[in-house]
Amino acid sequence: MELSPASKSKVIAYGILRALLIIGGVVLLLWFLYAVQAVILYIGCAAVISLVGRPIVIFLRERLKMNNTLAVIITLYMMLLLACGILYMMM
């Protein structure tokens, strides 16, 4: 079935409008990521620390029968000591 010229122009206008909205959305997303890049870095560091520390917390809580708060404090202290030791060795 053949479209009338008016219908063709509506389809073309709809396609152009849709493409402009998609481009605008991508630009807005990239601007937002640029604005919060420092926060994203801290969230990434926190995710790595939690992934490394979780098995230690589980070991302290289940095998050594510590409560969760004490296990987390000991784990964070061990990670802090490890980071200080690595930094000391680099100097």
Side-chain angles (χ1 to χ4, degrees):
M1 183 167 159
E2 186 76 24
L3 294 175
S4 68
S7 295
K8 287 181 184 179
S9 65
K10 284 183 181 180
V11 169
I12 292 171
Y14 175 74
I16 292 172
L17 183 62
R18 184 173 176 220
L20 287 175
L21 287 174
I22 289 172
I23 291 171
V26 169
V27 168
L28 187 65
L29 176 68
L30 291 175
W31 173 81
F32 177 74
L33 290 176
Y34 175 75
V36 295
Q37 66 184 351
V39 176
I40 292 173
L41 178 67
Y42 287 123
I43 290 173
C45 290
V48 168
I49 290 171
S50 67
L51 286 173
V52 170
R54 182 166 166 75
I56 301 170
V57 170
I58 291 172
F59 173 77
L60 292 174
R61 197 175 58 214
E62 292 179 0
R63 298 286 177 122
L64 301 180
K65 305 295 183 203
M66 293 183 182
N67 65 1
N68 193 41
T69 306
L70 184 60
V72 169
I73 290 171
I74 290 173
T75 302
L76 287 175
Y77 186 68
M78 287 172 35
M79 290 183 154
L80 181 65
L81 285 176
L82 179 67
C84 289
I86 291 172
L87 288 175
Y88 179 75
M89 288 174 49
M90 288 181 166
M91 295 170 113

